[in-house]
Amino acid sequence: DAEITQSPRHKITETGRQVTLACHQTWNHNNMFWYRQDLGHGLRLIHYSYGVQDTNKGEVSDGYSVSRSNTEDLPLTLESAASSQTSVYFCASSFGEKETQYFGPGTRLLVL
Amino acid sequence: KQEVTQIPAALSVPEGENLVLNCSFTDSAIYNLQWFRQDPGKGLTSLLLIQSSQREQTSGRLNASLDKSSGRSTLYIAASQPGDSATYLCAVDTGRRALTFGSGTRLQVQP
């Protein structure tokens, strides 16, 4: 069955380290998204991509980067992890315009 | 900037009740609105997607309505069950395919 997976599911890191969270989908969806979920803020958009070599900034993109080298993957990199980036990170994908978004299971990141 | 609000923030009902969850958004220029369910510690599961040209969508015991002009959507759950206990999120697409989310309504259905 087609799916969207995230790894790792849990991660503890130290302030200043570079961290990469993986997202992989097997639906051949064009659109991929990264959100973070925090108490009191709900889900907020970090970065998104409409296709290979396309990336765009969302509302909370500072300190994060993404690259899209193929259809299936959109890794999220925290260049220098900060305690404020402790959060639950969700990856999502959709096929085209006005289509349902499907979410991965999430990655819990703790920055000490 | 689009803002999405969900009321109430939490709701507790006895099993069997019909209930309504509310979602409002500030900018009526939306492409679609999506309702999700989130169980504790889990990802989001899509429940219903309403396109901007539609007034409502139904799936089983769930019915979602959309009034774009007034910036409102409701999710109606009929004959609630303990298994419906979860957080319900609404989100709008304003044309860039990414979603703007409300903070959710935490529902508890008591047996």
Side-chain angles (χ1 to χ4, degrees):
Chain A
D1 284 345
E3 60 179 354
I4 181 166
T5 57
Q6 294 184 235
S7 62
R9 295 294 313 280
H10 302 271
K11 175 78 176 176
I12 301 175
T13 191
E14 296 177 344
T15 301
R17 289 188 180 267
Q18 184 179 80
V19 176
T20 296
L21 309 182
C23 175
H24 179 80
Q25 52 95 5
T26 59
W27 282 300
N28 205 34
H29 283 170
N30 296 320
N31 308 315
M32 296 186 72
F33 312 88
W34 275 103
Y35 299 88
R36 60 178 288 177
Q37 185 175 36
D38 305 286
L39 282 175
H41 290 282
L43 280 104
R44 293 178 291 173
L45 181 67
I46 306 172
H47 281 286
Y48 57 105
S49 168
Y50 294 150
V52 176
Q53 302 300 331
D54 175 77
T55 61
N56 306 279
K57 294 181 179 180
E59 285 79 31
V60 291
S61 61
D62 287 348
Y64 303 94
S65 64
V66 293
S67 62
R68 187 93 180 267
S69 59
N70 59 54
T71 302
E72 295 80 18
D73 300 288
L74 187 71
L76 177 71
T77 298
L78 286 68
E79 304 292 346
S80 177
S83 57
S84 60
Q85 294 177 308
T86 291
S87 186
V88 181
Y89 291 85
F90 288 102
C91 178
S93 70
S94 65
F95 181 65
E97 291 185 11
K98 307 179 184 181
E99 298 286 339
T100 299
Q101 274 193 32
Y102 297 93
F103 280 73
T107 293
R108 289 185 176 273
L109 177 67
L110 176 60
V111 182
L112 299 175
Chain B
K1 177 187 172 186
Q2 178 74 265
E3 293 184 1
V4 180
T5 303
Q6 291 187 247
I7 295 173
L11 182 63
S12 181
V13 300
E15 182 177 2
E17 269 203 13
N18 302 324
L19 57 100
V20 174
L21 307 182
N22 297 294
C23 173
S24 62
F25 45 94
T26 54
D27 185 350
S28 62
I30 64 169
Y31 274 41
N32 59 55
L33 183 145
Q34 201 164 345
W35 282 94
F36 293 89
R37 169 187 173 135
Q38 185 176 29
D39 293 287
K42 304 290 186 183
L44 282 68
T45 300
S46 179
L47 298 173
L48 290 165
L49 171 71
I50 310 178
Q51 301 292 353
S52 60
S53 58
Q54 297 175 321
R55 297 285 294 186
E56 64 179 302
Q57 280 285 339
T58 299
S59 176
R61 293 183 295 107
L62 304 179
N63 176 275
S65 68
L66 175 64
D67 184 344
K68 230 176 64 162
S69 60
S70 68
R72 294 182 181 181
S73 176
T74 61
L75 179 66
Y76 176 83
I77 302 176
S80 58
Q81 303 171 357
D84 294 330
S85 298
T87 296
Y88 291 81
L89 298 161
C90 80
V92 297
D93 176 0
T94 51
R96 58 178 180 173
R97 310 175 203 173
L99 297 173
T100 301
F101 282 85
S103 295
T105 294
R106 191 170 64 254
L107 173 65
Q108 181 72 36
V109 181
Q110 299 168 349

